[in-house]
């Protein structure tokens, strides 16, 4: 029974996630048409590891913002920001993903 | 048997919609004809620890103890903040931008509303990310 319990818990506990927010910003008139979209998309992801409530990186959102600006030095439009958490054993990882259209 | 039937009936009767987050952007009605669009992606959400707790509540003796152990292990292995029930794929909302551009090929949009919501049935749920707005023609 203990083996079943262990197997069941390992199966059910495999890497769960939670998306807290997915927000789309305003889209300016300079946004390219969808036919050209793929070559204009820029995407960055930054993470923050938290072990038993102890936080090790508090500027991961700023890092994502800076990386996005570095990837697209001109106009950034249609920013899709997602804030999520990946759950792990005694720790978790907060993630910020920013996907946007570089209008240059 | 009656106990399980009561739990199933309770679960079905308490099913409800849950809103976690909503945000609306600028609305510009001066640029042309506005055509509404709506894009929605969802993923199966399951709180395994809550299901184990339910099992513990309806069982007795040794089985209840085992459910309690399972609940505790699951809680330790899936630690972290939650919005609704956890999902097993965190990439289900990655393509929302592609989908809204498919709905609005001109790329001119206004009144974008971002919604994070769910259809919840206790330990299971449909976790939803929805974007709606208007395409300017």
């Amino acid at each position: 029974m203990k083996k079943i319990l262990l197997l069941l818990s390992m199966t059910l506990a495999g890497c769960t996630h939670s998306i807290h927010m997915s927000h789309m910003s305003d889209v300016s008139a300079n946004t390219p048409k969808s036919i050209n979209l793929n070559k204009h998309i820029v995407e960055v992801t930054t993470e923050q590891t938290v072990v038993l409530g102890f936080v090790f990186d508090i500027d991961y959102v700023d890092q994502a913002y800076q990386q996005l600006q570095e990837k697209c030095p001109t106009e950034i439009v249609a920013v899709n920001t997602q804030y999520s958490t990946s759950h792990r054993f005694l720790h978790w990882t907060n993630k910020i993903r920013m996907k946007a259209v570089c209008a240059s | 048997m009656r106990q399980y039937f009561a739990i199933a009936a309770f679960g079905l009767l308490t099913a409800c919609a849950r809103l976690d987050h909503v945000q609306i952007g600028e609305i510009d009605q001066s640029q042309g004809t506005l055509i509404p669009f709506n894009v929605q992606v969802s993923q199966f959400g399951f709180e395994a620890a809550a299901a184990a707790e339910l099992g513990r509540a309806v069982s007795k003796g040794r089985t209840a103890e085992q459910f309690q152990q399972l609940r505790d292990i699951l809680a330790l292995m899936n630690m972290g903040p939650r919005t609704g029930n956890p999902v097993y794929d965190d990439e289900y909302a990655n393509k929302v931008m592609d989908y809204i551009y498919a709905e609005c090929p001109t790329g001119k949009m206004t009144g974008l509303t971002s919604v994070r919501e769910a259809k919840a049935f206790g330990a299971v749920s449909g976790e939803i990310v929805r974007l709606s707005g208007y395409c300017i023609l």
Side-chain angles (χ1 to χ4, degrees):
Chain A
M1 186 62 193
K2 278 194 176 175
K3 282 179 186 170
I4 294 170
L5 197 68
L6 194 65
L7 194 68
L8 193 64
S9 61
M10 284 174 76
T11 308
L12 293 171
C15 292
T16 62
H17 313 273
S18 191
I19 293 181
H20 309 297
M21 186 203 79
S22 178
H23 175 251
M24 190 79 188
S25 77
D26 291 316
V27 181
S28 86
N30 294 335
T31 308
K33 291 182 177 180
S34 65
I35 195 164
N36 302 319
L37 195 65
N38 282 340
K39 62 180 178 183
H40 289 277
I41 284 184
V42 285
E43 188 171 356
V44 296
T45 305
T46 54
E47 296 179 354
Q48 175 196 54
T49 303
V50 184
V51 180
L52 291 169
F54 292 97
V55 177
F56 293 97
D57 184 3
I58 55 166
D59 61 349
Y60 70 115
V61 181
D62 293 336
Q63 285 170 13
Y65 185 68
Q66 283 167 8
Q67 285 175 24
L68 199 66
Q69 285 177 312
E70 284 164 13
K71 279 195 172 182
C72 179
T74 55
E75 188 180 5
I76 303 167
V77 296
V79 185
N80 177 214
T81 309
Q82 178 180 291
Y83 167 44
S84 65
T85 299
S86 294
H87 309 123
R88 300 284 185 271
F89 180 66
L90 297 179
H91 75 284
W92 61 91
T93 308
N94 293 322
K95 293 178 183 172
I96 290 287
R97 180 184 58 77
M98 290 180 182
K99 190 175 178 181
V101 176
C102 189
S104 60
Chain B
M1 185 65 192
R2 195 186 296 173
Q3 204 173 19
Y4 293 115
F5 180 75
I7 290 165
F10 181 75
L12 288 171
L13 290 171
T14 54
C16 56
R18 191 195 71 233
L19 177 67
D20 299 307
H21 178 263
V22 63
Q23 192 161 355
I24 189 163
E26 285 179 15
I27 304 170
D28 185 355
Q29 300 179 86
S30 65
Q31 299 298 315
T33 310
L34 301 182
I35 307 295
F37 68 85
N38 187 56
V39 164
Q40 179 175 305
V41 290
S42 66
Q43 185 64 243
F44 174 70
F46 178 55
E47 182 58 273
E53 171 59 17
L54 192 66
R56 188 203 62 79
V58 298
S59 56
K60 291 176 184 172
R62 183 83 185 120
T63 312
E65 278 176 29
Q66 285 167 342
F67 269 120
Q68 191 172 347
Q69 286 171 1
L70 180 64
R71 181 202 65 188
D72 294 343
I73 293 168
L74 289 168
L76 289 172
M77 291 184 89
N78 291 316
M79 222 177 224
R82 288 155 159 70
T83 297
N85 290 328
V87 296
Y88 290 87
D89 173 20
D90 66 343
E91 295 186 354
Y92 71 95
N94 279 11
K95 293 217 166 193
V96 283
M97 185 191 285
D98 304 80
Y99 297 151
I100 64 167
Y101 270 89
E103 291 285 323
C104 184
T106 62
K108 293 178 181 174
M109 300 166 217
T110 190
L112 280 171
T113 307
S114 310
V115 181
R116 174 70 180 88
E117 60 185 350
K119 286 173 184 167
F121 306 87
V124 296
S125 60
E127 300 296 324
I128 299 166
V129 170
R130 185 161 60 84
L131 286 172
S132 59
Y134 295 94
C135 185
I136 304 169
L137 294 183

